[in-house]
Amino acid sequence: MRRAIGLGVGLALLGLLLPGSLAFKENEFKKCAQTSFCSRNRNVQQGANFEIVPASVTLNTATLTATLMNKQASKHLQLTLTAHADGFVRLLIDESPSVGRYQVPSDILVSGWETRKAAIKEQSRSANGIVLTTGDTKLELGYAPFTLAVSVKGVPALQVNSRNLFNFEHRRPKQDSDPAGYWEETWMGHTDSKPKGPEAMSLDLVFPGFAHVYGIPERATSLSLQATNGNAPYGEPYRLYNLDVFEYLEDHPFGLYGSIPVMLAHKKGLTVGVYWNNAAEMFVDVVKGRGEVGTQWVAESGVVDLFVFTGATGPAVLAAYAKVAGTTALPQLFSLGYHQCRWNYKDEADVKAVDGGFDSHEIPYDVLWLDIEHTNGKRYLTWDSSLFPNPAAMQEDVASRGRKMVTIVDPHVKRDSSYYIFSEAESAGHYVKNKHGSDFDGWCWPGQSSYLDVTSPVVREWWAQQFTTDKYQGSTRHLYIWNDMNEPSVFNGPEITMQKDNLHYGNVEHRDNHNLFGIYYHMGTADGLKLRGSQVDPENGDRPFVLSRAFFSGTQRVGPIWTGDNAAQWSHLKVSVPMLLTLGLTGLPYSGADVGGFFGNPDAELMTRWYQLGIYYPFFRGHAHLETQRREPWLFGPDVTARIRSAIRGRYALLPHIYTLFRAANTSGQPILRPLWFEFPEQEDLYAEDQEFMVGSSMLVVPVTAPSIFTVDVTFPQGARWYDAATGAPVPPKTKTQRVEVSLNGIPVYYRGGSVVPRRERPRRSTAAQLADPYTLVVALDDKGEAEGQLYVDDGRSFAFQRGLYLHRDFKFAANKLTSSKHVEAGVPDGTLTVPTTIERVVFLGLPPSKKGYKAVISDGASGSKHTIALEAGPLSLATAPESTQAQVLRKPDLPVSHDWTVEIVQA
Ligand SMILES: *[C@@H]1O[C@H](CO)[C@@H](O)[C@H](O)[C@H]1NC(C)=O
C-alpha cells in the first residue's frame, strides 16, 4: 500500500490524497519522449543498417550462429538461433561476451529446457538468406537487411525487422559530439549517470494476419491491447518498469507494479507467444492495420534474448512458456479461502473482534492480515509491544479455529543501529550501494532506509534465515508473509523508485535488473518460509505463502500477487477482470484485486458486486486504506451481510474445483481464469471480450460492474450448451446473446455442458473445517449427453504431493454411465493417497425429460457392491432454493472418492 500523504523530501509534489478524486499524477512519471533511450529509438528506422554476413552463417544440429553487422557503426554482433524440443525457438543477439552486457540470471527461469533441443534442418540457402525448418516451424532468415520470418505449417506467425525498426546500440567510448542523454539525463532533479553510455535495443515484431495481441502486464487496461498511436492516453507506448503508482487510473497504458515481457497473438488456428528475457526498463508500441499487428519493443540495456512459442491454441503456447519460466507453485489450500485485510487491524483486541465477527455472522474466512502498523516503528519482523503484547498467543488463538495470520514485511530496512536486521545486514554488507559504493539510503515508511540487495544469493540466504520461528520473535508456523513496496518503492527516488546508477551484487547497475528486484525479494522471503517449514518437518514441511506486489516472469513459482492500490470505484471493479485475465495469459494466474477497492469508501451495492465477482479471483482478499471507514462484510446492514455471506460461501463451495484447477496450473501452466477466446479459439467475435470469462473450462462468469443493473446481455460462446448455475435451467440451444434479469443476490454464472464440477456445499468457518466434508458433483451434459471433469485432493498443506501423496480422479459421463477412475498424467509421480471422504450428491443437468423418471444403478469397483437409488428432481445445490427443480439429483449415493465406481442412469 502507499502512503496516505506525501512524506519527506520532494514529496510536496505528490500533494494530498483527496478522497474520491484521482490523484494519479502523470507528470510524476516519465513518458517515452522524456526518456532518452526510448525517444532515440521509437519509430526510428535503423533496421536496414543491420546485415548478416553470409559466410558466417553456420548450422550445427539445433543451433545456427551468424555474425550480424551494424554497417553504420562498423560493429559486429553475434546472433544465435536455437530450436527447443519444448516447442519454441530462441533468438539471442549480443555483442562479444567480453563486453559483458547484462543477461537475466538463470535462476529467474527454470532449468532443463536449454539442453532439450530440437534439430534444425536447412531447406535452402542463397546469397540473400537461408531457409530452415524445425518440426512444423519454418524459419526464414534474410541477410540484407537482417530479417527473420517464422511460420507454422505455412501460416505466417511472426516477422522480425520487417518494418526496419530493429536497432542495437553498442558500448562505445564517449565522444564530444554525443547527444545529450547518452551519458547522463536529468528528471525532476534526479541525475542519472550512465557510465556505460547508450546500450538500448529495439525489436521490431510483426504478427501477420492477427488483429489482437494480449499480455505485457501490469497495467489497468483492456485485455486485447489497444494501439498506441491513438488519442491520449493511448499515444504513449506501454511501459514495463516496476513502479509504485499512486492511485492508478483504470484505463491507461501506464505500467504498474510488475512486468512480464510476454505477448500473445491469436488468430484462428494459430497462437503465438513471445518473451523477451530482459529485466531493464522497456517500452512497447502496438500499431494495427493492413491485417497485422506491429509492435516495437525498446529496452534500455541487456541483450536481445527472444523466445518464440507457437501452437494451435493458447494452452499449447502457455505450456511451452511454462517450460522456460516455470509453473504456479501449488498453494496451500487455506490461501485459496477468503483473506480479510485492512490497514490496519489495530491491536490484539481488534484481531479477536474481527475473527469473532466472521463466526458470529457465519461467514467463512481463512486468514487475518496485519499491515505496517503492527510493527515497532516500521521495523519489519518486530511487533509494537503495546498493541501486540502477545503475538504468538494471538496467532495460536486464531489458529485454534483453523485459521492463519499474515504480517507485512517490506524491503526497506530502517536505518537504526539498534534494530538487529539493520545492523546485521549493514555489517555483512548486504545493502544495495549507491553509485559511489556506499550503502544506498532512501526514504520510505520508516524514514531513512537501506534496501537489502536481494539480487545476491548470499543476501537471499541470510534473509531467508530471518523467518524461522526462533529468529522472528513472536511468530508461529501459523503466520505467513506479505511483501509490499518491492518495486522497490523509494519515496524520494526518481519516479518513486531507486536510482538506476545504484549498484548491485556483481557490480550490476540497477538499470539492468530493476524489474528483478521484486521477484528476488519475494523469492528470498518464500525461501524463508520453506526453511521454517523444513525445520518442523524436513520431508513434509508447509508450502510457503508470500504475497507480493512487484513481479516478473517466474513469479508464479514463488507466490501470488495482487494488483495493488485500486480504488472503491465501479471502473476499478470492471478493469480487475482484464487485469487478472492478462496475468493468467502471461503465466501468473495466482492473482487478485483488492475486494472493495483500497482507496475510498465503497457503498453497499459496490461492495456486494465486488464480493460476487471476487469469489472467482484466484487470490481473494478484502483490503482497505487506513483512512477508509471500516468495512468488514457485516457492516452494511443485514441484507448486504446475507448477500456477502452467500457469495463467500459460494467460493468455499467451489474450492474443490479451484484447487483442481491449481493442480493443472502447477503441472502444465494453465490459467485459472480464462478469456473466452482461450476456450473458444475459433470464435473471432470473442477475441476482444474481457468482461465475461471462464473459470477453468467449465464455468462462465458474467460480472456486474455498474450500479442499478436489472438486466445484463450475456454472450454465450457457440458450440456448447449452457446451464444457469443458480437454477440449472438450460439456455436454449444456439442462443448467441440473451438478456437476463439480475437481482442483487448474485451475478449470472453458467455451467458449460460437457463438464463435471466438484463442490463442497456445507457451510463451514474455514477451509480447515471443510477437510472431512463430502463432495457434490455437478454433471452438466453436452449435446451428446456426455461430460467430464476432475477432482484433485492432497493434504492441502505440505510438499508430500510431490512424492505422490495425492488423489486425482477423472469423472466421465458417457452412454448414460458416470465413471470414476484414476487420473494419470505423464511426467508426474503416480498418486497414491486415499481419503475417507465420499460423494454425497450427484446433480445431473440436461438429462432428457422422462415421464417415469430415472434411477441410478451404483457399482463400487472396490467393494463389488451394487445398489439402486431413484433420482429426484431437486435443488441444484444445498444453498439454492428448493423450488429450482431443473436438476435430477442423486442423493446419498455415498460413493467413496478414492474408489473406482460407476453410476448408470436408467429409466425408472
Ligand atoms: C508445483 O508446485 C510445487 C510447489 O508447491 C513446486 O515445487 C513444483 O516445482 C511445481 N511444479 C510441478 C511441475 O510440480
Side-chain angles (χ1 to χ4, degrees):
M1 111 292 309
R2 273 292 302 283
R3 63 209 165 271
I5 51 168
L7 293 166
V9 195
L11 292 182
L13 290 161
L14 296 168
L16 292 170
L17 165 66
L18 304 172
S21 78
L22 285 170
F24 175 70
K25 294 279 192 295
E26 282 207 76
N27 296 338
E28 263 184 53
F29 299 102
K30 284 175 138 184
K31 295 202 160 117
C32 176
Q34 296 156 327
T35 306
S36 177
F37 81 88
C38 187
S39 62
R40 63 181 189 252
N41 281 285
R42 189 182 191 196
N43 293 326
V44 174
Q45 302 265 319
Q46 289 285 344
N49 297 323
F50 292 83
E51 291 184 1
I52 285 179
V53 179
S56 71
V57 175
T58 314
L59 179 62
N60 195 340
T61 338
T63 307
L64 175 137
T65 54
T67 300
L68 181 61
M69 239 188 83
N70 180 346
K71 282 190 307 180
Q72 199 188 39
S74 302
K75 289 270 191 181
H76 289 91
L77 294 164
Q78 297 186 347
L79 179 150
T80 313
L81 188 63
T82 48
H84 297 264
D86 297 310
F88 57 91
V89 294
R90 181 189 192 194
L91 174 68
L92 257 169
I93 302 174
D94 194 359
E95 296 184 75
S96 154
S98 63
V99 174
R101 291 177 71 115
Y102 181 76
Q103 297 209 22
V104 168
S106 59
D107 58 3
I108 291 299
L109 303 180
V110 292
S111 56
W113 54 270
E114 309 96 311
T115 51
R116 292 191 295 267
K117 293 224 172 105
I120 299 180
K121 286 199 195 104
E122 178 172 334
Q123 300 298 340
S124 63
R125 198 193 277 243
S126 73
N128 303 326
I130 182 167
V131 179
L132 311 159
T133 54
T134 173
D136 288 340
T137 304
K138 183 154 121 195
L139 305 163
E140 293 167 87
L141 192 61
Y143 292 167
F146 151 64
T147 54
L148 176 67
V150 182
S151 57
V152 181
K153 294 184 190 159
V155 180
L158 182 73
Q159 293 160 357
V160 181
N161 200 27
S162 59
R163 294 177 304 152
N164 248 332
L165 292 171
F166 179 80
N167 193 19
F168 197 106
E169 298 174 347
H170 303 265
R171 293 272 178 84
R172 59 211 279 291
K174 195 168 177 170
Q175 289 156 22
D176 289 342
S177 57
D178 282 341
Y182 268 35
W183 300 87
E184 188 176 284
E185 70 185 282
T186 298
W187 167 254
M188 289 179 87
H190 295 280
T191 298
D192 176 22
S193 66
K194 301 184 228 182
K196 295 174 197 153
E199 47 174 343
M201 290 146 292
S202 162
L203 270 178
D204 168 358
L205 305 178
V206 169
F207 299 91
F210 293 83
H212 298 276
V213 292
Y214 313 93
I216 53 169
E218 179 182 74
R219 62 206 77 252
T221 191
S222 52
L223 175 73
S224 170
L225 292 169
Q226 299 163 64
T228 54
N229 56 352
N231 295 328
Y234 290 93
E236 269 293 298
Y238 297 107
R239 190 179 184 198
L240 293 156
Y241 193 59
N242 297 356
L243 288 175
D244 181 358
V245 180
F246 186 56
E247 289 226 314
Y248 59 76
L249 297 175
E250 77 288 358
D251 181 16
H252 205 280
F254 193 80
L256 302 178
Y257 316 91
S259 301
I260 303 180
V262 167
M263 185 180 276
L264 266 61
H266 175 72
K267 61 184 174 186
K268 272 188 191 180
L270 185 65
T271 309
V272 179
V274 293
Y275 167 52
W276 188 358
N277 184 33
N278 186 308
E281 180 179 357
M282 219 183 259
F283 284 91
V284 183
D285 265 305
V286 172
V287 297
K288 295 183 177 185
R290 295 178 316 193
E292 62 184 36
V293 181
T295 64
Q296 183 187 16
W297 306 54
V298 183
E300 185 174 16
S301 65
V303 299
V304 171
D305 187 3
L306 183 75
F307 293 74
V308 181
F309 309 91
T310 52
T313 56
V317 165
L318 289 199
Y321 172 65
K323 298 284 185 187
V324 174
T327 61
T328 301
L330 189 66
Q332 287 201 51
L333 184 58
F334 84 79
S335 72
L336 303 181
Y338 175 61
H339 299 254
Q340 182 68 32
C341 186
R342 173 174 183 84
W343 177 21
N344 216 89
Y345 286 121
K346 295 192 296 274
D347 52 24
E348 290 177 5
D350 200 7
V351 166
K352 184 127 190 129
V354 172
D355 183 66
F358 278 92
D359 288 335
S360 58
H361 295 92
E362 301 187 301
I363 299 172
Y365 97 105
D366 265 78
V367 193
L368 193 70
W369 292 52
L370 297 179
D371 209 322
I372 53 175
E373 312 299 335
H374 81 277
T375 59
N376 171 16
K378 321 293 187 297
R379 293 167 186 84
Y380 303 103
L381 306 168
T382 70
W383 301 84
D384 181 320
S385 59
S386 59
L387 303 176
F388 295 93
N390 299 300
M394 169 184 69
Q395 293 154 46
E396 293 293 351
D397 176 56
V398 168
S400 71
R401 287 175 294 281
R403 297 181 179 132
K404 317 286 182 194
M405 290 192 72
V406 164
T407 50
I408 195 166
V409 177
D410 287 354
H412 46 264
V413 179
K414 185 177 173 68
R415 293 188 60 81
D416 165 8
S417 50
S418 68
Y419 173 32
Y420 74 106
I421 294 282
F422 174 75
S423 50
E424 269 184 52
E426 186 187 42
S427 54
H430 285 342
Y431 292 121
V432 176
K433 306 286 185 283
N434 62 25
K435 66 177 170 188
H436 306 295
S438 42
D439 287 350
F440 171 69
D441 181 344
W443 195 269
C444 209
W445 293 122
Q448 277 189 294
S449 306
S450 282
Y451 289 72
L452 293 170
D453 185 8
V454 285
T455 66
S456 154
V458 175
V459 176
R460 288 202 301 278
E461 200 185 325
W462 172 82
W463 181 235
Q465 288 160 3
Q466 308 311 313
F467 289 88
T468 57
T469 45
D470 55 331
K471 259 288 194 171
Y472 181 1
Q473 295 299 306
S475 74
T476 68
R477 64 177 289 196
H478 313 298
L479 187 66
Y480 292 84
I481 305 294
W482 169 20
N483 289 160
D484 195 2
M485 314 296 276
N486 55 337
E487 293 72 30
S489 177
V490 181
F491 292 167
N492 61 343
E495 301 190 274
I496 319 166
T497 191
M498 210 172 252
Q499 279 72 4
K500 283 179 170 172
D501 49 13
N502 272 0
L503 292 169
H504 291 274
Y505 161 75
N507 225 21
V508 170
E509 272 192 288
H510 187 68
R511 158 183 355 272
D512 293 324
N513 65 12
H514 171 84
N515 286 342
L516 301 182
F517 188 90
I519 182 177
Y520 274 133
Y521 187 67
H522 194 194
M523 225 184 243
T525 309
D527 285 348
L529 293 194
K530 256 187 235 172
L531 179 67
R532 181 183 82 184
S534 70
Q535 284 184 346
V536 177
D537 181 343
E539 235 178 301
N540 295 327
D542 295 340
R543 296 171 220 158
F545 171 82
V546 181
L547 179 74
S548 174
R549 191 170 69 183
F551 56 84
F552 191 71
S553 305
T555 289
Q556 61 269 25
R557 308 196 306 276
V558 186
I561 68 99
W562 93 108
T563 60
D565 298 349
N566 59 358
Q569 294 171 13
W570 289 97
S571 57
H572 279 251
L573 171 63
K574 186 169 178 185
V575 81
S576 71
V577 178
M579 289 180 84
L580 299 183
L581 291 176
T582 297
L583 288 163
L585 287 181
T586 51
L588 185 50
Y590 191 14
S591 58
D594 280 341
V595 171
F598 177 66
F599 290 112
N601 295 306
D603 64 16
E605 188 179 2
L606 177 57
M607 204 63 185
T608 305
R609 293 301 190 203
W610 215 315
Y611 275 100
Q612 289 168 347
L613 175 61
I615 62 169
Y616 301 102
Y617 293 166
F619 172 65
F620 176 34
R621 181 183 78 157
H623 184 35
H625 187 279
L626 183 69
E627 292 170 355
T628 60
Q629 289 151 21
R630 292 291 287 239
R631 55 164 96 142
E632 287 70 50
W634 51 86
L635 294 178
F636 295 82
D639 291 352
V640 178
T641 306
R643 291 187 189 112
I644 296 176
R645 176 190 300 121
S646 137
I648 299 181
R649 283 182 176 179
R651 164 70 168 214
Y652 278 76
L654 202 56
L655 281 174
H657 181 52
I658 293 175
Y659 197 57
T660 302
L661 289 171
F662 267 94
R663 168 64 171 183
N666 183 240
T667 55
S668 60
Q670 299 311 305
I672 312 296
L673 305 188
R674 303 174 186 173
L676 298 189
W677 72 259
F678 196 81
E679 286 293 319
F680 300 91
E682 298 293 307
Q683 294 175 39
E684 287 174 311
D685 53 341
L686 302 178
Y687 288 0
E689 173 60 49
D690 64 6
Q691 281 301 297
E692 294 183 21
F693 61 91
M694 300 289 293
V695 180
S697 57
S698 51
M699 293 174 81
L700 172 72
V701 176
V702 185
V704 174
T705 59
S708 309
I709 293 288
F710 306 101
T711 60
V712 287
D713 292 326
V714 179
T715 299
F716 292 98
Q718 296 301 288
R721 268 213 218 179
W722 300 97
Y723 302 89
D724 185 323
T727 65
V731 174
K734 302 213 160 55
T735 305
K736 276 206 137 180
T737 60
Q738 191 179 46
R739 178 155 296 185
V740 303
E741 285 181 16
V742 290
S743 74
L744 279 172
N745 294 334
I747 59 175
V749 177
Y750 299 86
Y751 288 115
R752 177 183 185 171
S755 8
V756 178
V757 176
R759 297 168 57 86
R760 257 180 171 157
E761 301 198 322
R762 302 184 181 194
R764 299 287 186 192
R765 57 162 53 140
S766 66
T767 53
Q770 288 184 306
L771 272 185
D773 281 354
Y775 294 93
T776 291
L777 296 182
V778 176
V779 180
L781 303 184
D782 65 12
D783 287 337
K784 290 181 292 199
E786 296 180 352
E788 58 185 46
Q790 299 173 16
L791 172 66
Y792 174 83
V793 183
D794 61 20
D795 69 8
R797 178 191 66 78
S798 78
F799 287 99
F801 75 98
Q802 290 185 307
R803 293 183 290 113
L805 285 174
Y806 68 84
L807 175 78
H808 198 161
R809 306 299 298 177
D810 281 329
F811 303 115
K812 239 188 163 83
F813 188 82
N816 295 325
K817 234 185 219 177
L818 179 66
T819 54
S820 169
S821 59
K822 183 172 177 163
H823 176 86
V824 280
E825 199 167 319
V828 294
D830 218 24
T832 56
L833 186 72
T834 56
V835 294
T837 352
T838 59
I839 289 160
E840 63 173 344
R841 298 169 80 239
V842 183
V843 177
F844 292 93
L845 300 178
L847 284 177
S850 155
K851 266 214 180 106
K852 291 187 183 159
Y854 292 103
K855 60 185 183 183
V857 183
I858 297 163
S859 335
D860 185 331
S863 68
S865 71
K866 226 177 181 155
H867 61 290
T868 301
I869 303 176
L871 299 197
E872 299 167 18
L876 186 54
S877 89
L878 295 180
T880 45
E883 62 267 20
S884 61
T885 52
Q886 304 271 3
Q888 296 284 330
V889 182
L890 173 58
R891 288 184 60 227
K892 299 203 175 139
D894 296 330
L895 295 158
V897 260
S898 304
H899 290 188
D900 288 346
W901 44 252
T902 62
V903 173
E904 189 174 3
I905 303 300
V906 295
Q907 301 276 343

